[in-house]
Amino acid sequence: MEGLKLSGGAEESVGYRYFYSLRLLYGQNEAPWLPQGQLIGLLHQALQLALSAAGFPVADLGDRVELFSYLSALLAACAGAAAFLFAARELRSAIGTWALAAALVTCAYSLRSGGGYHLVLPDYYAWVMPLGLVGLALALRVLNEQTIRSAGPAIRLGVYAALCAAMKLTFLVFPIIVALLMLPRFRAPGVFGRSIGSAVLVAAAVLFGVTVLVYHGDHTAIGRHFDIAEMAALQTSAAESLWQRLEVNLFGNPLDLATLALVWPVLLVLSLVFMPNRPVTAALLPSSILSAATALQRFYPPTLIEVNMAFLVALTIWLSAVGIPYLRQRFAVAPIPLRLAPSVVLVLLGLAGITGAARFFDLFTPAFRAATEAAGVVDAFVHAGPGRTVVLIPFNDLRPTTIDTALAKGGTDVHLDTNVNVWGVSPLVHGLVKDRDFLISVANADIRPNEYERLVFVTYKGRTDEILKLNAERFQFNPDLFECAELLGLGSAPFNFFLPAVKAGRRFTSDFTPYAPDQERVLVGCRKRPVTGVRKAADMVSNALLVGGRMYSLQDGRLFETVGTEGQETTLTFAGSIRPESRRFAGLNATYRDGQWTVDRNAPFISPLTFTPFVPDPDLSSVYKIAPPSRFTRVDDGDSTFYRIFPARGSAHDIGIYTYFHRLAVDRLPMAIRAVVRAPKGKIVSIQAYDFRDAGDRTRIYERQAIATGDWQTLLLNIDNLILSNDDFYSIRLMRMIDKDTFDVMSVEAGPGVLPE
C-alpha cells in the first residue's frame, strides 16, 4: 500500500533467488549453485516462467523483480496457512489450536531470529514454518493411530523427508521425529522392513529428482551440489569454545525462544526419567539435541528461525502426548490455577505475538522506505550524465540497500567460496545492466574505477573521507580524481536479520555479528573532476595520474590533462625503482602513441626482497615464512620454476607466505608489492600489508584481492605512504584453502615506488 520495494531491503535473497533462477532458465550454460534450497529454487523457476507468460520481459529490472519478491513471500505464507489448518485438524482441541496460532506468530517475530524479517524474503527461511507444521500434523496423526498396517505412511514420510532435505538439510529434524514415533507402531517386522526400505528409496529418488529438475540435468552442477567438501567449506563456528557459546547465547540474554530451545533437550531427559509415555519423549530427544547443536554451532538468526520452529513442534507433540495427559491423570479434578493456565498462556502468547508484529512494522517499514528512496536516488545519479558508474561495496555492512547489491550478488557464483562475490561471472545478469558495474568484497581485475565517470558507495555518517580512502585502497583507484557528495541518509543499524536484536540489546557470539550496529549510514555519489585544461608533457613528470591511457595531474584541486606529441617519451619520476644513494625514484618511461600513453610494465623494480625461486637454494624460509606452518616443495615443470605450498594434512584454512618490511630500510615512501601466483580457479588470492602505527593512530591494513583463474596471474598492491616499524609485514595468501588445494608462487617483489596497473 505504501509502494515499497522489496528488492533493496531483501537484496541478498533477491540476488541469489531471483537472479539465480533467472540464470538457470535463460542463461547460456549457466548453472549457479547454492548450498540449500533446491525445492524453493524449483518453485522460483516456475514463478519466473509464469511472469514471462504474463508479459514481463526478462530484462525488466523493475516490476518483474518486485512481483517476484512479493509473490514468493506470499507463496510461503499461503503454504503456512494450509499447513496450519492441516496440523490444527490433527490437534483436535480448540484452545490448543488458538495457542498454536499464537505461538506461531510469537515464533515468527522472535527477536534473535530476525523479528519477522524472513517473512518478506523470497527465500527458503519462511518455509520452515509450513514444513514444520506438516511434520507436526504427521506426528499427531501417528500418535492418534495405534498400529501401522502398510507401507503407505512410511512412503509419505519418505516424500516429506525429501522435501525437507531439498529445502535445507537441517530441516530433517522434523521427519526424524515422525520416523521415531512410527517405529513402535508397525504391526509386524515384515511391514517395518518394507516400510523403511520404501521410505529411504522414495526419499532418495524425490530428492535427486528435485535436484535434477533444478539444474536441468547438468551433471556437473548436480555433482557439485552433493559434494561433501563443498558443503564443509561453508561451515562456520559460532565461538571459540562450547562454554563461550553457552555463556553468551544461553546465560547472557533474557529468556526467549532460542534460550528455551537450547535447554529443551535437558527438560526432555528429565521427562524421560520422571514422566510416563517415555517412547514419545525418547522420539523427540534426538532431533532436539541436533537442533540445539546446530544453534550452538551457528548462532545466527536464520538458523534460530528453524531452531525455534523445531522447538515449537516438539513442545506441541510433547504437551499433546505427555504433558497434558499426565496432568489429567494426576489431577482428577484440576485446581483453579491449573484450569486457568491454558487461558493465561494463550493471552501471554497473543500479547507476545502482537508485540513482535508491531516491532517488525516499527523497525522495518522505515528501513524499506529508505531503501526504496535510495533506489530512485541511485538511478537518478547514474543517469545524470554520460559514462558508466561503478558501485563500490567493500564489505556487507557498507552495501547500498538497493537492487544494485542484488545485481552484484546475483551475477556471481558462490560454489567455490562463500566470499567470492565478483561482478561479471554471469553474462546474462551483466547484460541486463547497461549503465553501471559493481565491485563487491574482492576487486575485479577488469574493472578499474579510475576509468569510470561516477562512483557510488555507502559510508558511516561523518566518515566519508575515511571510507572513500578505504575503497580506494581496496579497489585500487585514485580518490583525488573524484568529487564526492552525500546523496541520501539511510538511517542507523544494518538492514538485516540482526536489526531487531541489536535494537533490543541482544547479543550474538558469531562470525556474522554486525560490524557497526548503531551507526547511521549515508549514500554517497562521486563524479569525476572536470578537466580544466590541457598541458604539454615535459621530459619529466612528477605528479601524473595514469587512467586508461590518459595522463592527468592534480594541482590545487583542479585536474589537468597531460598530452604529448606522437612518439614522445616522458619519464614519470613518481614511480619505478629507487636510487638508494639519493632515495629518489629512477622513474618509468611513458610513450605517447595514437593519442594514448603507454608504460613499460616490466621496467626495473629494485628490491632487496625480490623473491627468485630460480636459484638453486630451495630454502624458502631464508626470507619468507609460511603461515600457518605447512609443507612446500620447489617445482620445475620445464616452463617455469616455482614453490608449491600444501596445507597441513586434513585442515582447511587460509595459507600464504609473509615477511617483514623493515629490511627495506626506507620510510614514508610509496611502496609496491607484485606477485605472480597460481591457485585453483574461483579461489581468492590476495596481497595483504600491515602498517602498524603508534598508539595514537590506528593500524592500516592494505589489501588487494582477486579471483584465481587457475593459471598464472599477477597481483599488484600499491601503498601510498608506508610508515615503517619493526612489526610491519606483508603476505601473499590463498583464502579458504582445503586439503586438496595447492598454492603456487613463482615470484614476489616488494620495493619503494608505484607501479602502473
Side-chain angles (χ1 to χ4, degrees):
M1 289 187 295
E2 296 194 28
L4 300 181
K5 296 182 176 181
L6 294 185
S7 59
E11 39 78 27
E12 183 161 301
S13 291
V14 171
Y16 292 144
R17 298 301 169 182
Y18 176 82
F19 289 108
Y20 272 39
S21 57
L22 198 72
R23 291 168 61 186
L24 284 164
L25 282 173
Y26 301 107
Q28 296 297 319
N29 300 317
E30 293 191 37
W33 172 85
L34 287 174
Q36 65 274 319
Q38 305 104 292
L39 183 58
I40 192 67
L42 197 59
L43 294 174
H44 283 164
Q45 289 187 45
L47 187 54
Q48 293 279 19
L49 292 173
L51 289 171
S52 295
F56 295 95
V58 172
D60 182 4
L61 294 178
D63 291 341
R64 180 179 176 118
V65 178
E66 301 307 327
L67 276 172
F68 175 92
S69 303
Y70 272 97
L71 291 174
S72 180
L74 179 63
L75 189 62
C78 292
F84 172 77
L85 294 176
F86 182 32
R89 187 178 62 178
E90 298 295 332
L91 201 57
R92 301 176 184 178
S93 166
I95 194 168
T97 298
W98 283 103
L100 178 61
L104 283 169
V105 177
T106 302
C107 180
Y109 292 106
S110 174
L111 273 172
R112 281 198 290 180
S113 60
Y117 179 47
H118 65 291
L119 299 177
V120 293
L121 300 181
D123 219 322
Y124 69 89
Y125 306 116
W127 284 87
V128 70
M129 303 192 80
L131 286 172
L133 288 169
V134 169
L136 173 61
L138 293 177
L140 293 175
R141 178 173 290 183
V142 168
L143 291 174
N144 292 329
E145 296 177 0
Q146 295 301 316
T147 59
I148 298 177
R149 303 177 183 277
S150 68
I155 293 175
R156 289 194 293 271
L157 174 63
V159 174
Y160 171 61
L163 296 180
C164 288
M167 194 65 77
K168 191 180 180 186
L169 286 176
T170 50
F171 286 11
L172 286 173
V173 294
F174 302 118
I176 286 175
I177 293 174
V178 181
L180 293 177
L181 288 173
M182 289 174 63
L183 287 180
R185 288 170 170 78
F186 284 103
R187 187 185 62 170
V191 175
F192 168 77
R194 289 194 300 273
S195 299
I196 295 299
S198 300
V200 171
L201 289 175
V202 167
V206 172
L207 177 60
F208 186 74
V210 169
T211 307
V212 169
L213 289 173
V214 167
Y215 295 112
H216 304 171
D218 187 309
H219 299 293
T220 302
I222 295 168
R224 193 169 61 220
H225 196 98
F226 294 107
D227 188 342
I228 296 176
E230 297 277 12
M231 296 296 294
L234 301 174
Q235 300 304 310
T236 302
S237 177
E240 295 178 359
S241 66
L242 177 60
W243 173 250
Q244 184 183 7
R245 297 169 193 167
L246 290 174
E247 187 268 331
V248 174
N249 303 332
L250 184 57
F251 307 122
N253 283 288
L255 184 69
D256 63 3
L257 277 176
T259 310
L260 294 175
L262 291 176
V263 300
W264 177 237
V266 178
L267 299 178
L268 285 179
V269 170
L270 295 176
S271 172
L272 197 62
V273 175
F274 297 107
M275 299 185 74
N277 211 348
R278 291 182 176 86
V280 173
T281 303
L284 298 174
L285 190 57
S287 62
S288 298
I289 293 174
L290 286 173
S291 185
T294 301
L296 290 174
Q297 176 66 19
R298 201 168 185 262
F299 205 79
Y300 179 51
T303 303
L304 297 184
I305 292 167
E306 59 189 83
V307 169
N308 291 345
M309 189 62 195
F311 165 67
L312 180 58
V313 168
L315 178 63
T316 304
I317 295 170
W318 184 85
L319 288 173
S320 300
V322 180
I324 294 175
Y326 172 76
L327 292 175
R328 286 175 177 170
Q329 183 181 6
R330 182 76 179 271
F331 301 99
V333 179
I336 292 178
L338 197 58
R339 279 182 283 173
L340 292 176
S343 300
V344 173
V345 170
L346 180 58
V347 170
L348 292 176
L349 286 174
L351 290 174
I354 293 171
T355 301
R359 184 192 303 112
F360 168 81
F361 285 104
D362 181 57
L363 291 178
F364 283 100
T365 301
F368 273 105
R369 187 178 295 115
T372 302
E373 186 179 356
V377 169
V378 171
D379 283 341
F381 182 75
V382 167
H383 297 120
R388 294 179 68 84
T389 301
V390 60
V391 180
L392 307 174
I393 309 175
F395 47 83
N396 210 43
D397 198 48
L398 291 180
R399 70 198 187 280
T401 50
T402 64
I403 195 173
D404 299 285
T405 308
L407 281 161
K409 295 179 178 180
T412 66
D413 286 334
V414 297
H415 66 273
L416 288 174
D417 191 297
T418 54
N419 289 327
V420 177
N421 293 312
V422 182
W423 177 251
V425 173
S426 169
L428 174 69
V429 180
H430 191 274
L432 297 179
V433 188
K434 306 299 183 184
D435 51 22
R436 68 196 85 177
D437 291 308
F438 306 89
L439 286 173
I440 178 169
S441 181
V442 292
N444 273 337
D446 59 342
I447 292 183
R448 304 179 188 281
N450 279 340
E451 300 177 11
Y452 286 76
E453 292 301 314
R454 287 172 294 278
L455 312 176
V456 173
F457 63 93
V458 173
T459 180
Y460 301 117
K461 188 174 182 179
R463 297 169 60 186
T464 299
D465 291 341
E466 176 189 344
I467 301 302
L468 176 62
K469 186 173 182 180
L470 180 150
N471 280 316
E473 292 169 353
R474 170 158 291 192
F475 299 126
Q476 293 294 289
F477 67 90
N478 193 317
D480 293 332
L481 281 173
F482 298 91
E483 297 174 318
C484 301
E486 295 184 0
L487 300 178
L488 181 69
L490 299 175
S492 63
F495 195 147
N496 56 23
F497 281 105
F498 289 99
L499 178 56
V502 167
K503 287 296 186 182
R506 302 298 176 93
R507 292 187 295 167
F508 293 86
T509 299
S510 169
D511 292 342
F512 300 95
T513 301
Y515 292 95
D518 298 317
Q519 297 192 46
E520 290 192 35
R521 288 160 180 75
V522 178
L523 188 68
V524 174
C526 304
R527 289 183 173 87
K528 184 76 69 69
R529 292 181 185 272
V531 178
T532 57
V534 177
R535 296 181 176 181
K536 294 290 185 180
D539 292 338
M540 302 180 70
V541 178
S542 61
N543 60 344
L545 303 172
L546 294 177
V547 180
R550 302 174 71 180
M551 187 186 300
Y552 301 97
S553 61
L554 191 69
Q555 296 180 1
D556 300 324
R558 294 187 298 168
L559 193 66
F560 296 88
E561 182 173 3
T562 302
V563 298
T565 58
E566 184 68 19
Q568 178 182 355
E569 287 192 358
T570 295
T571 301
L572 307 179
T573 61
F574 70 96
S577 59
I578 191 172
R579 295 190 180 97
E581 68 281 0
S582 62
R583 293 169 61 86
R584 293 182 180 275
F585 292 111
L588 290 177
N589 290 331
T591 305
Y592 192 77
R593 286 196 179 93
D594 299 325
Q596 288 191 326
W597 291 100
T598 59
V599 177
D600 181 8
R601 295 174 181 269
N602 297 315
F605 184 44
I606 298 173
S607 167
L609 288 186
T610 299
F611 175 42
T612 53
F614 306 95
V615 298
D617 180 14
D619 185 12
L620 174 68
S621 62
S622 61
V623 174
Y624 290 88
K625 298 183 182 297
I626 302 179
S630 302
R631 299 171 293 138
F632 73 92
T633 184
R634 184 169 175 269
V635 179
D636 186 347
D637 61 4
D639 295 327
S640 55
T641 304
F642 55 90
Y643 283 111
R644 173 160 290 170
I645 304 171
F646 307 86
R649 190 176 302 278
S651 64
H653 46 62
D654 301 347
I655 196 169
I657 59 173
Y658 73 96
T659 193
Y660 290 91
F661 273 120
H662 67 267
R663 302 184 190 186
L664 295 173
V666 291
D667 193 10
R668 295 187 180 277
L669 285 173
M671 191 72 61
I673 306 168
R674 182 167 58 190
V676 179
V677 300
R678 181 171 62 187
K681 185 177 181 179
K683 292 288 185 178
I684 299 177
V685 289
S686 75
I687 298 177
Q688 296 174 335
Y690 289 77
D691 184 5
F692 293 98
R693 305 296 182 90
D694 297 333
D697 197 358
R698 67 184 182 88
T699 298
R700 301 289 176 87
I701 302 175
Y702 302 91
E703 183 175 19
R704 184 69 187 269
Q705 295 182 333
I707 301 302
T709 62
D711 203 350
W712 292 110
Q713 63 190 111
T714 300
L715 301 177
L716 174 63
L717 173 64
N718 284 311
I719 303 171
D720 292 337
N721 182 20
L722 185 72
I723 301 177
L724 284 175
S725 67
N726 288 335
D727 294 326
D728 291 347
F729 69 92
Y730 66 89
S731 65
I732 318 297
R733 305 191 67 80
L734 169 62
M735 318 294 281
R736 302 293 179 104
M737 193 178 201
I738 58 178
D739 53 7
K740 64 182 179 181
D741 294 333
T742 59
F743 184 35
D744 297 337
V745 182
M746 182 185 294
S747 65
V748 179
E749 300 169 279
V754 178
L755 291 181
E757 292 287 337

